[in-house]
Amino acid sequence: QSIQNSLQEAFVQDNIAKPTEFKNDPLPQQAIPSDPCNGISYDVGAGRGGRGRDSCSLSGNPNCLNLQNKFLIIMSDTVDKRDELLDDLEKLRVGCLKTKHTLEAEIQAYTIKLGDEDAKLAECTGGENTAAEEARMKAEEHDEMKTAMMQTRMSCSSKLRQFESEICALKKIRGELFKIKGDTHPFFMDCEVGDWEAEECS
C-alpha cells in the first residue's frame, strides 16, 4: 500500500517522476543449503578416491560377447541403411533414365512437328502473298473498268439526250406540216422497229 501511495504522489506532483523511498523493514533472508551430493561419486567405495582400478577396464571386466553383440547390431543397422540408400539410388537412377528417354522422345517428336509446321507456314505465307498480289491486280482492273464504264455511260447519256431532242424536233416539224397541209392529203409514216437485241459493243 505504501508503494502504491508513493507512486501516486509522484505522478500527481507536476507529472514528474521522483525516486521512491521505501521505509519498510527488510525481510529475513534464508541461507542457501549446501549440496548433499558434493564429493560423492556413483562408484564410491569401489577403490581409492571413489574409483576402482577395474571400474573401466576390459581386463578386469572381460564381457567381450556383450560388446561384440552391440557392435554387430551397429554394423547390421549400418549395412541395412547402406543397402536401403543404394536401393533408393538405383531406383532414382532408373527413374531418371526413363524420364530422360521420355523427354528426348518428346523433343524429337516436337522437333519433327515444328519442321512440318514451318513448311506449312511457308506454304501459307506464299499463298497469302499470291492472293495479295492478285487482289492488287484485280483492284487496278476494277478501277480501269469503272473509269471505262463511267465514260461509256456519259457518252450514252449524251447520245440519248441528243436523240430525244431530235425526236422532239421532228414531232414539232410534223405538227407544223400537218397544220400547213391540212387533212386533205396527210402523208405521215412512222418507222417500225423490232425488239431490242443485245450485241457486243463495237
Side-chain angles (χ1 to χ4, degrees), residues 63-76:
N63 196 355
C64 297
L65 183 60
N66 188 18
L67 293 176
Q68 183 180 8
N69 290 334
K70 293 184 181 298
F71 278 111
L72 288 175
I73 293 173
I74 295 173
M75 184 181 69
S76 176

Side-chain angles (χ1 to χ4, degrees), residues 112-125:
I112 296 174
K113 186 176 181 180
L114 176 62
D116 296 340
E117 297 300 328
D118 286 339
K120 292 179 182 179
L121 178 62
E123 182 180 358
C124 293
T125 302

Side-chain angles (χ1 to χ4, degrees), residues 156-173:
C156 290
S157 299
S158 177
K159 290 179 180 179
L160 285 174
R161 285 192 294 270
Q162 182 181 354
F163 291 152
E164 288 176 353
S165 178
E166 291 178 359
I167 291 172
C168 181
L170 290 174
K171 286 182 178 180
K172 288 182 178 181
I173 293 173

